[in-house]
Amino acid sequence: MRTPRHIPRRTLVTAAAAGFVTAAASPAQATGARARFHTAGRVKNTADGSVRYTWPGIYFEGRFRGTGVGVALDDSDNDYDVQIDGTTVATLVTPGRTTSWIGDLPDTEHRVRLVKRTESPWAVGRFGGFVAAPGGAVLAAPRARSRQIEFIGDSFTAGYGNVSGTRDCSSNGGVNRNTNSDLAFGALTARRLGADYQLNAYSGLGMVRNYNGSSPDTDFRTYYDRALLNVDGDVWRKPRTWRPRVVVLGLGINDFSTPLNPGERWTTQDQLIAAYETAYHGFLDKLRARYGPKTFLVVSATNLANTTAFAETALRIVQERNRRGDTRVRSWHYDDSALDRLGCDWHPSAHDHRIISGQLDNYLAALPLRW
C-alpha cells in the first residue's frame, strides 16, 4: 500500500504490511534499520532486523528527517505510546501487524520514541523499526545514555493500572487499558536523570511466594534471566554496554501482603521470612556478580496494611550485607500519607507514582554516585 504524503499529526493511518517491515526489501536493509534505533530493554534480535520482547516499559528511540514517520509493529496484545520530540502524539491499542503513521510534521529533523505501556508475559511483541515518509529519511540512532538504572519488581514497579482513576477497572477497560509503564515511578526518575533504564517487573510475583500463594512452583527468580518471559529456559544475553550503576529492587509485597494458606510450603510467617531472606541474599549475590562491586543495589520496601514483616525483613537483609562488608547494598523505604491508591485493585495511581518517584529522586541524590 502506498504511504499517504499528508497524514494528520494526531491521526493514525495503518497500512497492512506485505512483509513485517514494509520498507525492508532485503535482509541487508533490515539489518541497517536495526542499527537506526536505540533501546536499552531486554530484546531478542531476529534475522530480519526486527526485535522481540515481553518485559513492560521497553522503549525504542530514533531520529528521522521529514514530515512523517511509520512505526512497524507486530503485536495484538499490548498498547504503545508514540512520542515525537518529547510529546505523546498517539496511543496504539493492540495494533496487530501494521505500520502506523504519524504525519503533518514540520519538514525538519525529529526524534521519535515508541514505548510499551503494558505487561505481556504471555505474549511476544515485535518491533520492526521506524520508516520515513516519502521524501524523508531515518537517521542514525540516538546515542545510548551514559547513565543506566535497572528496576526489578512486581506490579508496583510495572505501573499496574496506574492511569485508571478508580480501583475497580472492570468497567473502564481492564488493567491493560489502564496501565502505562512509562508513568511508573522508575521510568519517571530515570528520565529526570537522563538515564537509560529497564523495568524488569512481573505483576503478582514475589521473591519466594506469589500473591496469595499462587503458582507455587515459580516466583520472580524463575523469570528474571529471560528476555522472552513465556519461553521456558530462555536466557537474555546481557550486552557489554549494559552496566547500570544503580539497581532498585522491589520484591516482597506479594510475599507478605496475604496470609499463608493451608498447604503452602511454609506453615508460619517465621518460616516464610527465613526462606525470603535466604533467597534475597542469593539474588543479591547474582546481581553483584553480574554488575560488579561499584553498582548500588537498592533494596526497597513499603508499608503493608496487615504486617510489618516486609519492611523489617528488607532492612535486616541490607544490614546483614553491610555487616559482611558490602556498603553498596542500601535500603530505601517509601511511603506517603498522600498516596491515594486509585490505580486498579488498590495499586498506586499516576499521582502516587509521581510522589514515589520524587522520593526516589531525593534518595538517589544522596548516594555518592559517579556516573
Side-chain angles (χ1 to χ4, degrees), residues 263-286:
E264 291 196 55
R265 283 177 284 169
W266 315 278
T267 57
T268 68
Q269 188 177 73
D270 285 345
Q271 291 176 345
L272 173 60
I273 288 171
Y276 177 82
E277 288 192 37
T278 299
Y280 217 126
H281 280 296
F283 197 64
L284 290 171
D285 289 341
K286 174 198 286 280

Side-chain angles (χ1 to χ4, degrees), residues 192-216:
R192 272 198 291 269
L193 289 171
D196 275 327
Y197 61 93
Q198 293 182 356
L199 297 185
N200 298 324
Y202 198 136
S203 291
L205 299 189
M207 181 64 77
V208 295
R209 180 177 183 259
N210 303 326
Y211 180 77
N212 201 32
S214 61
S215 302

Side-chain angles (χ1 to χ4, degrees), residues 20-341:
F20 173 63
V21 183
T22 57
S26 71
Q29 286 180 318
T31 302
R34 179 166 57 201
R36 293 199 293 272
F37 62 80
H38 163 66
T39 184
R42 293 187 173 193
V43 301
K44 300 272 274 194
N45 296 325
T46 63
D48 65 0
S50 64
V51 292
R52 297 180 297 152
Y53 46 85
T54 51
W55 291 98
I58 285 179
Y59 57 90
F60 304 95
E61 297 173 326
R63 298 166 55 244
F64 68 96
R65 183 181 65 251
T67 60
V69 65
V71 178
L73 282 167
D74 186 358
D75 192 340
S76 298
D77 289 274
N78 290 286
D79 298 351
Y80 297 80
D81 277 347
V82 182
Q83 299 162 359
I84 303 291
D85 300 328
T87 299
T88 298
V89 297
T91 296
L92 311 180
V93 178
T94 60
R97 184 170 178 167
T98 61
T99 299
S100 301
W101 291 91
I102 303 293
D104 278 355
L105 302 171
D107 191 2
T108 185
E109 183 177 324
H110 302 277
R111 284 182 171 256
V112 57
R113 182 173 185 263
L114 175 75
V115 59
K116 180 173 177 281
R117 294 167 57 114
T118 42
E119 288 188 79
S120 64
W122 56 86
V124 177
R126 186 188 296 261
F127 173 62
F130 299 113
V131 185
V138 176
L139 306 176
R143 290 185 178 181
R145 297 167 180 84
S146 59
R147 294 179 175 182
Q148 299 175 340
I149 308 179
E150 180 174 343
F151 296 91
I152 294 172
D154 49 34
S155 55
F156 278 41
T157 301
Y160 177 106
N162 57 346
V163 295
S164 170
T166 178
R167 293 162 185 149
D168 182 355
C169 298
S170 60
S171 61
N172 67 345
V175 173
N176 272 9
R177 300 294 84 74
N178 289 286
T179 294
N180 189 345
S181 294
D182 206 38
L183 298 180
F185 69 85
L188 295 175
T189 287
R191 289 201 298 277
R192 272 198 291 269
L193 289 171
D196 275 327
Y197 61 93
Q198 293 182 356
L199 297 185
N200 298 324
Y202 198 136
S203 291
L205 299 189
M207 181 64 77
V208 295
R209 180 177 183 259
N210 303 326
Y211 180 77
N212 201 32
S214 61
S215 302
D217 295 330
T218 65
D219 53 48
F220 184 86
R221 295 170 298 158
T222 307
Y223 300 97
Y224 173 71
D225 288 325
R226 300 183 187 181
L228 303 180
L229 293 167
N230 63 336
V231 179
D232 290 342
D234 185 57
V235 177
W236 177 63
R237 303 297 180 185
K238 185 185 80 68
R240 287 183 295 175
T241 54
W242 183 244
R243 300 184 298 272
R245 283 293 171 258
V246 180
V247 179
V248 180
L249 298 95
L251 292 168
I253 293 174
N254 292 305
D255 296 84
F256 295 110
S257 62
T258 55
L260 290 168
N261 301 305
E264 291 196 55
R265 283 177 284 169
W266 315 278
T267 57
T268 68
Q269 188 177 73
D270 285 345
Q271 291 176 345
L272 173 60
I273 288 171
Y276 177 82
E277 288 192 37
T278 299
Y280 217 126
H281 280 296
F283 197 64
L284 290 171
D285 289 341
K286 174 198 286 280
L287 294 174
R288 183 57 76 214
R290 174 174 290 183
Y291 294 133
K294 294 183 179 180
T295 295
F296 282 93
L297 306 179
V298 178
V299 176
S300 71
T302 190
N303 294 338
L304 298 178
N306 62 322
T307 180
T308 59
F310 175 32
E312 292 170 353
T313 308
L315 179 59
R316 187 164 56 249
I317 288 167
V318 173
Q319 291 171 338
E320 173 61 19
R321 303 300 288 206
N322 296 163
R323 188 191 66 79
R324 297 178 190 178
D326 191 343
T327 61
R328 294 200 171 215
V329 176
R330 300 294 181 95
S331 175
W332 172 50
H333 184 274
Y334 66 90
D335 201 54
D336 195 294
S337 60
L339 299 183
D340 56 39
R341 299 188 183 270

